Amino acid sequence: MLTDDRAWAARAQLTEALCEVAELEHSLCLQYLYAAFSLKTRPDEGGLDEVQAELVREWKGQLLLLAREEMLHLGLVLNLLASVGGAAYLRRPNFPQPERYYPLGTVAALEPFSATSLERFLSYELPSALLRAQPSDDETGEDLRLTVGQLYDRIRHIITTVEEKDLFIGSELRQVDTAAVIDPEGVFDDDVTVGYGVEPFVINNRASALRAVDLIVEQGEGATEDEEDSHYNRLLRIKAQLTAEVEEATRSGRPFEPARPMLDNPVVRLAADAEGATVIREPLAREAAELFDAGYSLLVLMLLRFYSRVDESPAEQKRIQRIAFFPLMTMFTRPLGEILSELPALTGNPSVTAGPPFEFQRGLALIPERDVAHRVFAERLADLAGRARRFADHMNAAPVPPRLRHRAELMAKDVERMCRSFVEDEIGIRP
């Protein structure tokens, strides 16, 4: 075990490693979402029959579930950070990033669903045992890549070499547990398992820290190569089904096109920390993308405040949670992301559609003062509601399918309700 005078250095090293995997979990969550949003859902979109459409809907559900589980992995990592005295960390570079950015040797990119993007996801979730079994491309015979599991092994090593009293110096009050996130109203019994496989829990000693690491790795690459429900094996099953469908389509001469022709790495404006993105030019899609990024930015700000748990009362924490988790994620992010996947991205070129940029702005950092933070949240929600309403009105006047107009209208109404709910909670909380 490390002595006291070296424990601070180990904590600093552990914080750095946890911030790196937090970036990875955050990034991979968004990449899964982008691929899921690209998948078609109806035969009338073309390239699918009824049976194929049902299969593709299953793939979409799996990718959305993987994204949700990556969010839960990120929550556990943030609890680990808090347990060793670190701060909530949601920063990440913009897309795309080259292979060299992370030690996985894998590109970070927003790409529609395809055999290529599936292979990239499989490389993210690759079991460590399989990497060791692969031939090396390096002339020295060494494979310089790491798996996510190996990155967590580094974290595990530090956890096991520092005295508990010197390592777990953070407050449990800055951590989020399952009840706070999954069951905010306390409607479930204590023994009910909600069922995402990995749920946030408080980390305050070596045993709970190692449990968190093991759960993340087991759900991602699997405890063994044969772990049926691991991310890796779920992706392998999708790959096998995709290969079979493509081969059958080739043999029979009928089309099989499961994904919409979305841009790779769409942006509203080019970012200084990424190269190779494509700017959305078509005005309606650009308006939708700007609206999407405004909502994503607000979500990040609220999650930073929620996971930092600076000085909110339980009622105020619940107020943030009521907006950030399910409504903003499911009633704004998903419908608008899917609307973007069907809107032409480039003026005069209807064959290429847009997608959600997930642009990360420099100003996305913790707002430390409670009153200031809640004022900013209220202001941004009001702005989001106004922009969502204008976008829905523009969609009503645009030559787009009625179902997209209907979704835009529902999304705008949901954002307006979120805004009212946040303000009403504020009135109920404040004297």
Side-chain angles (χ1 to χ4, degrees):
M1 293 290 178
L2 293 178
T3 56
D4 290 356
D5 60 345
R6 292 185 56 198
W8 67 268
R11 281 200 310 273
Q13 184 181 2
L14 180 57
T15 298
E16 177 75 15
L18 288 169
C19 287
E20 182 174 46
V21 294
E23 279 191 22
L24 277 167
E25 303 289 6
H26 187 172
S27 173
L28 188 52
C29 169
L30 304 187
Q31 293 176 66
Y32 281 141
L33 284 176
Y34 195 85
F37 293 163
S38 76
L39 286 170
K40 299 174 182 176
T41 55
R42 303 173 318 282
D44 62 17
E45 293 189 66
L48 297 174
D49 61 27
E50 289 285 354
V51 175
Q52 292 169 333
E54 183 61 32
L55 178 62
V56 172
R57 282 192 290 268
E58 290 178 12
W59 296 348
K60 185 186 189 79
Q62 281 296 316
L63 289 173
L64 290 172
L65 179 57
L66 292 178
R68 176 59 189 265
E69 289 171 351
E70 295 298 340
M71 287 172 52
L72 292 170
H73 294 178
L74 175 57
L76 274 179
V77 171
L78 296 181
N79 278 2
L80 275 165
L81 269 168
S83 76
V84 298
Y89 185 82
L90 290 177
R91 291 201 63 81
R92 60 165 184 81
N94 279 298
F95 298 106
Q97 289 298 324
E99 295 177 357
R100 66 179 182 275
Y101 188 84
Y102 293 115
L104 307 182
T106 303
V107 170
L110 296 177
E111 296 174 347
F113 177 91
S114 67
T116 301
S117 60
L118 260 182
E119 287 295 339
R120 189 162 49 80
F121 294 151
L122 284 164
S123 69
Y124 270 108
E125 307 284 8
L126 183 71
S128 302
L130 292 183
L131 177 62
R132 289 190 289 267
Q134 292 180 352
S136 171
D137 294 330
D138 186 67
E139 60 184 15
T140 66
E142 292 186 38
D143 198 328
L144 302 179
R145 295 177 300 158
L146 294 175
T147 66
V148 172
Q150 288 170 328
L151 293 178
Y152 278 104
D153 282 344
R154 292 178 172 182
I155 291 169
R156 164 183 276 277
H157 174 73
I158 299 172
I159 291 171
T160 58
T161 55
V162 181
E163 291 285 353
E164 282 185 316
K165 64 180 178 63
D166 297 322
L167 184 59
F168 299 100
I169 65 171
S171 170
E172 294 182 19
L173 297 177
R174 287 204 297 114
Q175 299 185 48
V176 175
D177 61 15
T178 299
V181 176
I182 305 299
D183 184 21
E185 306 300 330
V187 298
F188 294 111
D189 294 330
D190 290 340
D191 60 349
V192 170
T193 300
V194 181
Y196 284 102
V198 172
E199 310 292 356
F201 54 84
V202 171
I203 296 166
N204 53 17
N205 55 31
R206 183 174 294 111
S208 54
L210 293 177
R211 177 187 170 216
V213 170
D214 290 343
L215 284 171
I216 293 171
V217 173
E218 287 170 12
Q219 190 173 68
E221 67 176 48
T224 69
E225 298 169 37
D226 299 324
E227 189 79 30
E228 183 178 351
D229 289 329
S230 70
H231 290 190
Y232 182 76
N233 280 312
R234 279 185 264 172
L235 289 167
L236 273 184
R237 288 194 290 274
I238 295 175
K239 178 184 175 181
Q241 292 168 340
L242 174 63
T243 300
E245 288 297 328
V246 170
E247 289 176 350
E248 174 60 23
T250 301
R251 185 191 64 78
S252 64
R254 59 182 171 79
F256 178 63
E257 300 168 355
R260 298 167 185 138
M262 286 165 60
L263 288 176
D264 290 348
N265 306 300
V267 294
V268 173
R269 59 192 61 81
L270 296 174
D273 61 344
E275 293 184 6
T278 306
V279 177
I280 298 171
R281 301 291 185 185
E282 201 281 327
L284 189 61
R286 189 175 178 85
E287 180 184 5
E290 289 175 340
L291 174 62
F292 186 94
D293 281 343
Y296 171 65
S297 297
L298 175 60
L299 176 61
V300 171
L301 285 175
M302 296 186 90
L303 289 178
L304 279 169
R305 185 75 196 181
F306 182 77
Y307 276 101
S308 296
R309 296 181 165 247
V310 182
D311 56 359
E312 270 91 1
S313 67
E316 289 167 328
Q317 290 171 0
K318 189 171 292 187
R319 179 173 178 241
I320 295 175
Q321 181 185 340
R322 282 197 185 105
I323 302 299
F325 278 87
F326 300 110
L328 201 50
M329 290 180 184
T330 60
M331 298 179 187
F332 174 84
T333 299
R334 178 172 175 178
L336 187 54
E338 291 176 342
I339 289 171
L340 273 161
S341 74
E342 296 195 61
L343 293 179
L346 307 174
T347 303
N349 183 5
S351 64
V352 181
T353 60
F358 291 108
E359 293 182 55
F360 199 97
Q361 301 166 0
R362 286 191 176 96
L364 297 183
L366 174 68
I367 303 171
E369 300 87 4
R370 177 184 57 192
D371 290 346
V372 174
H374 285 248
R375 176 174 175 172
V376 169
F377 298 159
E379 290 170 344
R380 292 207 176 192
L381 272 169
D383 174 68
L384 199 68
R387 292 168 68 168
R389 169 49 52 203
R390 289 192 295 274
F391 172 68
D393 291 344
H394 293 159
M395 286 285 284
N396 279 329
V400 299
R403 57 185 168 74
L404 292 186
R405 296 176 192 165
H406 180 63
R407 290 200 80 182
E409 180 65 26
L410 288 179
M411 181 269 297
K413 289 180 178 178
D414 284 335
V415 177
E416 289 165 349
R417 277 194 291 269
M418 290 179 217
C419 183
R420 287 196 300 270
S421 173
F422 192 81
V423 172
E424 288 168 2
D425 281 350
E426 171 78 359
I427 294 172
I429 291 168
R430 297 297 181 192

